[in-house]
Amino acid sequence: GAVVSQHPSRVICKSGTSVKIECRSLDFQATTMFWYRQFPKKSLMLMATSNEGSKATYEQGVEKDKFLINHASLTLSTLTVTSAHPEDSSFYICSARNGYEQYFGPGTRLTVT
Amino acid sequence: RKEVEQDPGPFNVPEGATVAFNCTYSNSASQSFFWYRQDCRKEPKLLMSVYSSGNEDGRFTAQLNRASQYISLLIRDSKLSDSATYLCVVNRAGANNLFFGTGTRLTVIP
């Protein structure tokens, strides 16, 4: 299957700081990438759809000014959690479509203290 | 009504057992169907796509019933390593993203 990488895998930061998460499609080009969040024992929740060369589309209830998404190339999308708070602590997972199948990165576990 | 609904389980089965999961989807315009597997604290991984004619991959068989809008996954000869959460996933026409069920937790017991 296709490979999607994500970096960092774990990050601990203090309240008020910003954290950037990178998502890369390693062996294919992805015009569209997706950012999900998953709380413990809960299902994946789509946060936003990242489109190469244009603005991201955010799901209802997701603040676009807090979760900044940049999709500058066909293989890289970034999610920046700005002014992080403890309630932002979660597992953030990106994914990219290759054909009609969707592959996930390994996820980033964010802990805000 | 949720886009995709699954029995959350948990299903606890002995090694060697056969176990089946069902999933229903609400939108008849749905086009693509998948089963993903997610291990604890890991990302979902594509297990198999589900085709109208049904498909099999080793011990795993997936079926799609469009008339009833449900999808099934059958696991034969369960292994300890099959313990995971199985996610039913649907892609709807006109929607770029996937819709996930809440997942069904399977534990295979020695």
Side-chain angles (χ1 to χ4, degrees):
Chain A
V3 180
V4 177
S5 73
Q6 213 173 312
H7 177 81
S9 58
R10 297 180 71 95
V11 59
I12 300 173
C13 71
K14 293 187 177 180
S15 279
T17 60
S18 295
V19 174
K20 180 186 280 189
I21 304 169
E22 292 186 349
C23 177
R24 294 180 186 271
S25 55
L26 297 185
D27 52 359
F28 66 101
Q29 293 183 327
T31 53
T32 304
M33 291 185 176
F34 304 92
W35 288 97
Y36 294 84
R37 182 165 55 181
Q38 187 175 35
F39 292 104
K41 298 187 179 180
K42 299 291 184 184
S43 61
L44 284 160
M45 292 192 60
L46 180 66
M47 298 175 67
T49 301
S50 168
N51 304 297
E52 187 267 336
S54 65
K55 290 183 180 179
T57 304
Y58 290 81
E59 295 299 301
Q60 193 172 15
V62 179
E63 298 175 57
K64 62 180 181 181
D65 295 328
K66 180 169 181 62
F67 299 100
L68 301 178
I69 291 173
N70 184 284
H71 193 155
S73 78
L74 287 171
T75 59
L76 172 65
S77 175
T78 61
L79 168 68
T80 301
V81 183
T82 62
S83 187
H85 289 119
E87 56 264 34
D88 297 326
S89 299
S90 187
F91 190 45
Y92 291 85
I93 311 175
C94 72
S95 74
R97 295 187 76 163
N98 186 17
Y100 84 115
E101 293 179 344
Q102 196 162 316
Y103 295 90
F104 288 82
T108 297
R109 193 159 300 282
L110 170 64
T111 303
V112 185
T113 60
Chain B
R1 187 182 169 190
K2 289 183 181 177
E3 193 86 24
V4 181
E5 298 208 53
Q6 281 183 261
D7 180 349
F11 284 65
N12 299 317
V13 302
E15 267 187 292
T18 295
V19 61
F21 306 136
N22 291 325
C23 159
T24 57
Y25 59 95
S26 60
N27 196 310
S28 59
S30 299
Q31 287 186 320
S32 306
F33 310 90
F34 310 91
W35 283 101
Y36 279 76
R37 168 196 170 127
Q38 186 173 24
D39 292 285
C40 190
R41 301 172 75 84
K42 298 285 187 181
E43 79 278 18
K45 293 188 176 176
L46 180 64
L47 180 65
M48 56 198 307
S49 302
V50 187
Y51 305 119
S52 295
S53 55
N55 48 304
E56 186 174 309
D57 182 2
R59 298 181 292 109
F60 299 85
T61 301
Q63 298 278 355
L64 167 63
N65 185 318
R66 283 190 183 272
S68 302
Q69 294 181 202
Y70 85 78
I71 309 150
S72 64
L73 177 68
L74 183 77
I75 304 176
R76 289 180 299 277
D77 188 24
S78 300
K79 311 290 184 192
L80 296 178
S81 57
D82 293 334
S83 297
T85 296
Y86 290 83
L87 302 167
C88 175
V89 183
V90 170
N91 174 247
R92 173 157 50 84
N96 212 7
N97 57 294
L98 301 177
F99 296 91
F100 287 83
T102 51
T104 299
R105 176 75 193 150
L106 169 68
T107 301
V108 181
I109 304 163

